[in-house]
């Protein structure tokens, strides 16, 4: 009933040829004095090279305003068994340079890194003052072992330029709807990002904008849930968000901390407020965005469904739209940090093109857009 634990240690000879890359134990056999015996399975242990290095992440995307710098943090790991340091080179279509982990001191070589340890390196990419909205540049950062110049690792960084204050984010599944938003924005310059074509929206590119107009049409289920951490960062940085969709809150999607703490919507996940028949929405007098909107019909042929969601605002949110039953279907939030205009129905279905342009102009004015 007892248990015997055996420990083995192996010392690698200093003159072991570099061609030997692993230790192979062909099996173990144990024989007891009482005649009992057992065997173990073969086991292979890789031998770490004297010098090896890796960079993480190997690829990354970011962004910054024109005339500003996008910053990336790269983790340099010593994968060899000897202490080493690493020379750093960085280059790209836009000016690219390496810095210490604080992103303040230029860096050409890392400090010494013990076997298995890591050190952080900051890489900055300067966006030109005249870069076009969503223009990209690719940069490469390479680290090379100081002890063995044949040992190196590289990472590829893609940087997006944010030339404008306003970004339209298409999170729906009906491409033609984007034209209604673009038309409503009118003379305001904007960037456009289609999540159906490129679902990876770089955090830094998003937060480089002041105003974001985000719609999901009738995308289902949980169309914004994968992006809530990015949206939190955007609002925490002082962003202004206009969001609209028919099924953003459906089921558990409406019970997340982002919906509760940033959209300021109370949602219990049942069908009590979900998919309620709605014919019109009416602006709430005194609301800074919709106070003068009046009664606006909803064209259900646009998305092919005659229902919307109802919401319960949480302080400091205030009602922005009421539906036929006088339930709240939209709200505005204004804090010392951020602003939100949320519609639990599709903006693209509201009234006429003139009505949508007026509502968008009122929203951007409240955001503080010139």
């Amino acid at each position: 009933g007892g248990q015997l634990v055996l420990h083995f240690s192996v010392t690698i000879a200093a003159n072991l040829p570099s061609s030997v890359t692993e230790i192979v134990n062909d099996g173990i056999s144990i024989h007891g004095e009482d005649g009992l015996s057992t065997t173990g399975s073969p086991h292979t242990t890789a031998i770490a090279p004297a010098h090896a290095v890796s960079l993480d992440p190997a690829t990354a995307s970011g962004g910054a305003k024109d005339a500003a710098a996008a910053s990336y943090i790269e983790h340099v790991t010593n994968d060899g068994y000897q202490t080493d340091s690493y020379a750093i080179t960085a280059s790209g279509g836009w000016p690219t340079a390496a810095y210490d982990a604080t992103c303040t001191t230029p860096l050409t070589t890392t400090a010494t890194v013990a076997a298995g340890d890591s050190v952080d390196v900051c890489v900055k990419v300067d966006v030109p003052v005249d870069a076009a909205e969503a223009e990209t540049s690719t940069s490469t950062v390479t680290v090379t072992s100081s002890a063995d110049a044949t040992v190196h690792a590289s990472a590829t960084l893609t940087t997006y330029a944010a030339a404008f204050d306003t970004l339209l984010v298409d999170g729906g599944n009906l491409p033609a709807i984007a034209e209604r938003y673009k038309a409503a924005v009118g003379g305001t310059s904007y960037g456009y990002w289609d999540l159906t074509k490129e679902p990876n929206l770089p955090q830094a590119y998003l937060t480089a904008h002041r105003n974001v107009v985000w719609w999901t049409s009738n995308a289902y289920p949980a169309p914004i849930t994968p992006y809530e951490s990015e949206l939190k960062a955007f609002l925490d940085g002082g962003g202004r968000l206009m969001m609209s969709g028919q099924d953003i809150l459906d089921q558990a999607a409406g019970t997340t901390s982002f919906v509760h703490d940033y959209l300021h919507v109370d949602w219990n996940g049942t069908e009590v407020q979900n998919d309620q028949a709605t014919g019109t929405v009416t602006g709430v007098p005194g609301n800074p965005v919709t106070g003068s909107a009046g009664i606006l019909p909803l064209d259900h042929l646009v998305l092919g469904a005659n229902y919307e969601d109802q919401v319960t605002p949480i302080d400091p949110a205030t009602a922005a739209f009421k539906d036929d039953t006088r339930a709240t279907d939209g709200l505005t939030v204004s804090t010392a940090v951020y602003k939100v205009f949320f519609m639990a129905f599709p903006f693209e279905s509201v009234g006429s093109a003139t009505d949508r342009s007026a509502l968008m102009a009122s929203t951007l004015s409240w955001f503080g857009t010139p």
Side-chain angles (χ1 to χ4, degrees), residues 64-69 93-95 125-135 160-164:
K65 294 287 287 184
D66 284 7
W94 294 339
V125 179
D126 293 331
V127 179
V129 66
D130 58 350
E133 176 71 36
E135 183 179 349
Y160 290 81
F164 306 132

Side-chain angles (χ1 to χ4, degrees), residues 29 41 125 127 328:
S29 177
S41 301
V125 179
V127 179
T328 300

Side-chain angles (χ1 to χ4, degrees), residues 173-174 177 217-220 245-247 250 274-280 297-309 324 329 344-350:
N173 54 4
L174 299 171
I177 294 301
S217 297
N218 57 7
Y220 170 89
Q246 195 161 37
D247 273 324
D250 207 1
N274 185 58
D275 294 349
Q276 300 299 307
T278 305
T280 64
L298 296 179
D299 183 357
H300 296 297
L301 295 178
V302 174
L303 294 181
N306 64 347
Y307 57 81
E308 323 302 339
D309 290 340
D324 314 66
D329 287 46
F345 57 89
F347 168 86
E348 58 266 33
S349 300
V350 174

